[in-house]
Amino acid sequence: MIVYAVFGDPIEHSLSPVMHNAAFKAMGLDAIYHAFRVTTSRLGDALRGAESMGFGGLNLTIPLKEAAMSLVEPDETARAIGAVNTISFLGGMKGHNTDGAGASMALRHYGVSVNGSRVLLIGAGGAARAIAYQLSQEGAEIVITNRTSEKGSALAEDFGLSFGDFSEIEKLVKSSDIVINATSVGMHEKDPRLFDGRIISKEQVVFDIIYNRETELLRDAKKAGAKAIDGVMMLVYQGAAAFRIWTGLEEPIDVMEGAVRSALNRNE
Ligand code: ATR
């Protein structure tokens, strides 16, 4: 039996165990995936422990993704993003980041290609960073905007992207083909809107990385007749990319999606 795990703090609500255990079962693998609460100060010990015990691989989540950078050998993508969400133990402790690939594959899943598209990316946290890196590799014309300008412009500068002031978000939305919400806004029912959704047009694609509920942004996008994509498939594909790194096998996407949707009670 090979053990895989996700480390984070808090970790109780992680959907990774449900998703990966369903994948292992569907593939007939003798493996199990468990969530462990690990604090930043114990991350080094926990990583060494997992390696010593022969774990097959790990995922990391908040607040460990950045802290892991100095504890593992990050690959080129993880280095560019500055964060690690996946670790493999095949010849050392290798750090990967599959968040950006997850976002890109989710867009592709819904028939969206970003090459040559004008993308407005809202946010400057870890998720926004991963998406900015990946989509700029794929030829998107990205404009970053963020509530805190300094963080947004620093991210834009890191990847040579444009920055637009958050006070002009509606103008920025109107002049883009794809709008991506990479902030935490919309996770809770009472969250305010980032902008007046009535300005969305039906030619646009709106991708919201929030997956726990249908956000007001996505409802507005649907109302406008735009293509509305939620964060479920990004979660699934970042997990699928990790699965592939660990096992070398093609991941059972439908099974993983089904497991996540039923855990979320979102079978739409
Ligand atoms: P993650 O690593 O998951 O992306 P994070 O680093 O906490 O999370 O980043 C959260 C993002 O949501 C940030 O871009 C944050 O904007 P600030 O840089 O100004 O903090 C954004 N965010 C959170 N609450 C927001 C709100 N009410 N309005 C606009 N942006 C918000």
Side-chain angles (χ1 to χ4, degrees):
M1 163 92 63
I2 302 179
V3 180
Y4 294 84
V6 57
F7 293 169
D9 181 24
I11 198 65
E12 305 81 60
H13 300 295
S14 173
L15 292 167
S16 294
V18 158
M19 177 167 70
H20 285 290
N21 283 320
F24 291 148
K25 191 168 168 210
M27 302 285 289
L29 299 176
D30 187 20
I32 187 166
Y33 189 108
H34 192 74
F36 293 89
R37 190 168 82 86
V38 174
T39 57
T40 308
S41 63
R42 305 304 299 268
L43 179 60
D45 291 341
L47 292 177
R48 282 186 290 277
E51 185 181 36
S52 308
M53 290 187 281
F55 278 32
L58 296 172
N59 284 127
L60 301 181
T61 187
I62 291 168
L64 308 175
K65 293 183 187 185
E66 288 81 14
M69 284 295 291
S70 59
L71 300 168
V72 303
E73 289 167 55
D75 69 7
E76 195 190 332
T77 303
R79 259 204 314 272
I81 296 168
V84 168
N85 83 325
T86 301
I87 292 172
S88 59
F89 295 112
L90 310 160
M93 233 189 265
K94 296 260 159 56
H96 313 264
N97 192 313
T98 65
D99 287 332
S104 158
M105 289 193 269
L107 285 164
R108 216 167 310 150
H109 181 91
Y110 291 102
V112 179
S113 154
V114 300
N115 187 14
S117 298
R118 296 168 303 168
V119 174
L120 175 65
L121 179 57
I122 312 168
R129 235 185 129 72
I131 294 171
Y133 173 73
Q134 180 67 30
L135 299 194
S136 63
Q137 299 277 95
E138 294 178 18
E141 283 172 37
I142 304 176
V143 177
I144 305 281
T145 191
N146 190 53
R147 178 180 61 179
T148 308
S149 296
E150 302 80 68
K151 275 176 67 185
S153 51
L155 166 56
E157 203 167 299
D158 278 355
F159 296 131
L161 308 173
S162 310
F163 172 75
D165 204 86
F166 193 69
S167 63
E168 304 202 321
I169 190 165
E170 299 194 350
K171 200 175 101 198
L172 299 170
V173 168
K174 283 182 191 160
S175 55
S176 55
D177 305 309
I178 304 173
V179 176
I180 303 179
N181 174 35
T183 75
S184 47
V185 176
M187 210 178 270
H188 308 287
E189 225 167 287
K190 282 177 284 181
D191 287 351
R193 279 175 164 78
L194 286 161
F195 58 87
D196 183 346
R198 288 172 299 187
I199 64 167
I200 299 169
S201 72
K202 66 174 191 307
E203 292 75 28
Q204 290 181 305
V205 174
V206 177
F207 175 30
D208 194 332
I209 70 162
I210 306 286
Y211 57 76
N212 65 312
R213 59 184 291 274
E214 183 175 52
T215 62
E216 287 65 33
L217 173 62
L218 283 192
R219 272 186 230 152
D220 291 345
K222 282 185 183 167
K223 232 182 260 170
K227 188 172 259 192
I229 301 173
D230 69 26
V232 171
M233 292 315 289
M234 173 174 168
L235 173 72
V236 169
Y237 277 110
Q238 66 74 31
F243 185 93
R244 199 177 279 211
I245 288 169
W246 299 326
T247 65
L249 299 171
E250 194 166 328
E251 61 287 340
I253 285 291
D254 296 353
V255 169
M256 295 169 86
E257 177 186 1
V260 168
R261 289 201 188 274
S262 67
L264 285 168
N265 222 343
R266 292 192 59 193
N267 291 304
E268 66 240 38

